[in-house]
Amino acid sequence: MSSGTRESKNIRNILWVEIILRSFAGGDSNLAVFNLLCGALKILNNLPDDKTPYISIQFIWRFICISGFNPALNACGKCGKMPGSNEQMHLLENIFCCSSCSSETDYALSPGGRKYLINTVSKPLVLTSSSIASFLRFIDSSLFIKTGFNPR
């Protein structure tokens, strides 16, 4: 492993631990948070460099879900309208809104990004080498075809 790769992975490790520490592990001593961190660290250790952004996205989104702060992605948080398959959702006051309820200056979540989060949060983030291989196959094949999401 090159020093640049090691540094990149160490930065991700530090980010995850900081998120947990600064949020007080979601407000409780939480076994789910501990298991998430341990699992993510083991997977990160075995991932190729070009796949490491995906485990960070998975860690952060799953932590948000465990903490109970995840905003709904399947309907506008203001008017309740279901987004079209090619419609961006915009982050406005900690909720995702449709284009009609938000302004162009809001942070946008692409349709592919939304589908990626919805489709992957239900997939297990587990610790075995075969599950890591399965995770990589999922990223490389159906994920981009189905969602069009690329975090780079």
Side-chain angles (χ1 to χ4, degrees):
M1 181 184 305
S2 73
S3 66
T5 301
R6 193 174 318 108
E7 287 172 7
S8 172
K9 289 185 177 185
N10 285 341
I11 289 169
R12 290 181 198 288
N13 294 346
I14 292 166
L15 170 68
W16 300 345
V17 171
E18 279 292 316
I19 289 170
I20 291 170
L21 289 174
R22 290 187 183 263
S23 69
F24 303 104
D28 199 358
S29 61
N30 196 326
L31 182 61
V33 171
F34 177 76
N35 289 337
L36 173 63
L37 178 62
C38 289
L41 290 172
K42 285 184 180 185
I43 290 171
L44 178 67
N45 224 17
N46 294 299
L47 281 181
D49 296 342
D50 64 329
K51 304 298 185 208
T52 58
Y54 299 99
I55 193 64
S56 279
I57 292 167
Q58 287 297 312
F59 175 84
I60 293 168
W61 184 249
R62 289 166 191 254
F63 179 78
I64 290 169
C65 292
I66 289 169
S67 300
F69 294 111
N70 55 314
L73 298 174
N74 55 358
C76 174
K78 279 191 149 185
C79 71
K81 177 184 144 201
M82 303 287 278
S85 61
N86 292 322
E87 185 178 354
Q88 288 185 338
M89 303 255 328
H90 301 267
L91 187 61
L92 177 68
E93 299 173 5
N94 298 324
I95 57 173
F96 282 102
C97 299
C98 66
S99 300
S100 304
C101 294
S102 65
S103 69
E104 292 298 315
T105 60
D106 299 324
Y107 294 104
L109 178 63
S110 71
R114 186 178 72 249
K115 290 176 194 171
Y116 173 77
L117 292 174
I118 291 168
N119 290 333
T120 59
V121 76
S122 62
K123 304 278 187 233
L125 188 64
V126 290
L127 316 176
T128 66
S129 58
S130 64
S131 64
I132 293 169
S134 174
F135 179 69
L136 290 173
R137 281 193 305 277
F138 176 72
I139 288 171
D140 287 336
S141 62
S142 63
L143 179 63
F144 293 116
I145 294 166
K146 289 179 185 175
T147 68
F149 175 70
N150 188 339
R152 286 171 254 160

